[in-house]
Amino acid sequence: MNFLDFKNLLFEKAKIAGFNECEIYFSDGESISISVYEGEVEKYNLAKSFGLSFRGKINNKMGYSFTEILDEAAIDMLINSAKNSANLIENDDETFIYGGDKIYNEVKTYSKELENIDPSKMIYLALDLEKEAKNYCDKVVNINGCKISYSSSNYGIYNTKGLELTNKDNILTSYVVPVVEDESGKNDGVGYVVASSIDEVDTKKMAKQGVEEALSKLGGKSIASGTYNTIIYNEAMVQLLETFASTFSGDAAQKGLSLFKGKEGEIVASSLVTIVDDPLMEDGIASAPFDDEGVATYTKKIIYEGKLNTLLHNLKTAHKQGVKSTGNGFKASYASPVNVSESNLYLRAGEKSFEDLMKEINEGLIITDLAGLHSGANTVSGDFSLAAKGFYVKNGEKTFPVEQITVAGNYFDLLKNIIAIGNDLKFPLSNVGSPSVIAKGLSIAGK
């Protein structure tokens, strides 16, 4: 059965079964991932996937179901499963099938340069990337990972209110993790790229990035416990923003799981801090012209110069708060319910170079790596205590690598204690980005 016939018959039968509004969401995708090790292809995965979810309102409750097959038996299953799931719902939260917006912004999420990508060229690039990393210097003793991946999808929403939306996206990523060793020990680094064309995969550049990062960490030592002038490097700041991204969720706030609850309009951060959710970013990993409820997306400053403007909402949480959805109702997959989540979330860059930041602290610490974020960070209280690595700064310059330390603080206090922001905004294989920052009030535990 073709897709449109399936949709029309599903909506017709759902109406007969008692559903007064209903919607389908579909995702049709493919992916190729290639991992290499010791000059050979270790894993080659080629996958195609199709899935369709159905949701409908019956007796003022929303039922959900999903399928990977388009036939008449699947239609009956979807209707019966959705009806059963609606009967199990005990809360009175109002849910919505959305009629759509007048205008949907255009955003580049698909690169034609990646169409019909040649797997043999991907294999060549992965093998060459491993070779370049191994041959970069004689201190490279192993490669912990070397991979290139491509994925594309066509997805969309149709409902009985006349909404018909589709979009395509695709992405190519690659990374290498070289391990270096000398008499002081071992360390690794990462070289990576997010590309909109296979020609952007520069194996020499990625190998250099990964090996140089690993080499820079050799000879690390601990420092005395205390309070230091501290730069949080962009990639470490991304780790913190990613970990605490749920604090911007209207759903988390309404459940009492975010200290930003009820703080809209209040100063919650340094006046230097502007945090943006931008689903319209060109080639952003999480860019989309509409969310998974069919709401038009738009760029929003969650925090603007220290003031909390808005939390992120889907239709349900927006209705509860008496505001409009921010277009942040997204699914983890076609089979998942709609939740609230960020798109491309980032701390806006400042004007200072990284060298300027080092000169500003003169003597202190750069935090480059954080570990233990799942167990050492409490997203409700904001408290964190994390194993860290970095560099010591003296006279405004890096001197030696630092390891075996723990950094502790509070995320909400951290936002208030940022006193300088760099211009080195970075999205490290992530939909979350940040520049480097100078922050006060962090405690360092060392030797």
Side-chain angles (χ1 to χ4, degrees):
M1 186 180 296
N2 72 45
F3 178 81
L4 290 178
D5 288 343
F6 182 90
K7 177 206 47 136
N8 292 335
L9 186 56
L10 173 58
F11 286 172
E12 181 183 324
K13 283 195 166 189
K15 186 176 181 180
I16 294 169
F19 287 90
N20 56 321
E21 296 175 358
C22 46
E23 179 177 274
I24 59 172
Y25 173 95
F26 75 92
S27 175
D28 187 6
E30 65 175 10
S31 63
I32 305 170
S33 66
I34 297 158
S35 299
V36 301
Y37 184 69
E38 295 291 346
E40 295 184 354
V41 175
E42 183 182 38
K43 291 180 182 177
Y44 182 105
N45 292 322
L46 173 62
K48 291 191 175 184
S49 62
F50 175 84
L52 178 146
S53 63
F54 169 77
R55 62 181 188 139
K57 290 187 77 171
I58 185 167
N59 300 325
N60 214 32
K61 302 288 186 183
M62 188 78 78
Y64 297 85
S65 55
F66 60 90
T67 182
E68 295 177 357
I69 300 169
L70 301 186
D71 60 18
E72 196 156 348
I75 288 174
D76 295 334
M77 180 276 295
L78 287 170
I79 292 170
N80 291 331
S81 296
K83 185 180 285 189
N84 291 336
S85 73
N87 289 334
L88 295 173
I89 294 173
E90 295 181 354
N91 66 58
D92 295 321
D93 291 346
E94 190 167 354
T95 52
F96 303 89
I97 300 291
Y98 194 59
D101 290 299
K102 290 181 179 179
I103 297 173
Y104 289 87
N105 291 299
E106 290 188 11
V107 54
K108 185 187 175 190
T109 59
Y110 188 84
S111 172
K112 288 187 177 180
E113 287 79 5
L114 291 174
E115 284 183 347
N116 304 313
I117 195 164
D118 184 354
S120 64
K121 189 164 186 181
M122 291 176 66
I123 292 172
Y124 168 78
L125 286 170
L127 291 170
D128 191 56
L129 177 57
E130 184 191 46
K131 183 178 72 174
E132 289 288 348
K134 278 185 170 182
N135 294 339
Y136 188 82
C137 77
D138 57 9
K139 290 183 179 179
V140 177
V141 294
N142 196 12
I143 304 293
N144 267 355
C146 185
K147 188 174 184 178
I148 186 167
S149 303
Y150 169 76
S151 64
S152 67
S153 71
N154 178 39
Y155 63 96
I157 304 168
Y158 292 81
N159 67 35
T160 53
K161 288 189 171 182
L163 186 68
E164 296 185 358
L165 295 171
T166 59
N167 189 50
K168 293 196 301 183
D169 59 27
N170 62 0
I171 190 170
L172 178 69
T173 62
S174 183
Y175 69 83
V176 64
V177 185
V179 179
V180 299
E181 182 178 19
D182 67 5
E183 63 280 358
S184 68
K186 287 184 180 181
N187 266 298
D188 63 14
V190 184
Y192 59 87
V193 68
V194 178
S196 55
S197 162
I198 199 162
D199 296 330
E200 294 174 12
V201 182
D202 186 332
T203 57
K204 290 182 184 295
K205 184 177 179 181
M206 290 166 63
K208 179 180 179 180
Q209 179 188 6
V211 177
E212 289 290 346
E213 180 183 318
L215 290 171
S216 72
K217 299 175 185 176
L218 289 173
K221 56 186 178 182
S222 188
I223 55 176
S225 299
T227 301
Y228 293 84
N229 297 324
T230 305
I231 297 172
I232 305 177
Y233 186 59
N234 52 20
E235 294 189 5
M237 193 64 190
V238 165
Q239 290 179 280
L240 286 173
L241 286 175
E242 216 164 18
T243 300
F244 290 98
S246 64
T247 60
F248 298 121
S249 163
D251 185 49
Q254 289 167 10
K255 291 174 179 174
L257 300 176
S258 171
L259 290 183
F260 285 136
K261 180 179 181 179
K263 297 285 183 69
E264 290 94 335
E266 296 183 18
I267 299 298
V268 297
S270 159
S271 61
L272 299 176
V273 171
T274 293
I275 294 179
V276 181
D277 181 73
D278 186 5
L280 305 180
M281 180 184 295
E282 185 171 317
D283 295 322
I285 286 180
S287 295
F290 53 87
D291 72 4
D292 294 338
E293 295 182 299
V295 178
T297 58
Y298 64 96
T299 303
K300 61 208 71 80
K301 293 169 182 169
I302 302 172
I303 295 176
Y304 178 64
E305 295 183 352
K307 184 173 79 173
L308 181 65
N309 282 339
T310 183
L311 295 178
L312 303 178
H313 291 285
N314 61 17
L315 288 169
K316 184 172 76 172
T317 64
H319 177 73
K320 274 185 173 182
Q321 194 161 328
V323 296
K324 190 180 185 302
S325 170
T326 59
N328 288 88
F330 291 106
K331 295 168 171 275
S333 74
Y334 72 88
S336 305
V338 172
N339 291 308
V340 176
S341 62
E342 70 280 0
S343 60
N344 302 302
L345 181 77
Y346 65 93
L347 174 63
R348 191 175 66 182
E351 297 179 355
K352 297 184 177 182
S353 68
F354 192 75
E355 289 70 25
D356 291 335
L357 297 182
M358 288 194 293
K359 288 175 183 174
E360 188 163 332
I361 67 167
N362 188 41
E363 184 168 5
L365 191 62
I366 303 168
I367 300 293
T368 59
D369 298 87
L370 296 169
L373 286 147
H374 293 294
S375 58
N378 185 318
T379 56
V380 178
S381 68
D383 293 331
F384 59 86
S385 181
L386 306 166
K389 292 182 179 180
F391 296 92
Y392 197 77
V393 175
K394 192 166 186 178
N395 297 325
E397 295 183 352
K398 282 184 188 178
T399 55
F400 60 86
V402 173
E403 59 184 27
Q404 298 177 39
I405 61 170
T406 299
V407 58
N410 181 278
Y411 170 72
F412 300 102
D413 291 339
L414 172 65
L415 293 179
K416 295 174 183 175
N417 291 333
I418 290 173
I419 60 173
I421 298 180
N423 60 10
D424 54 344
L425 174 62
K426 193 173 190 180
F427 289 82
L429 286 178
S430 172
N431 65 307
V432 179
S434 180
S436 302
V437 305
I438 298 176
K440 300 184 299 181
L442 297 173
S443 297
I444 307 297
K447 59 185 179 181

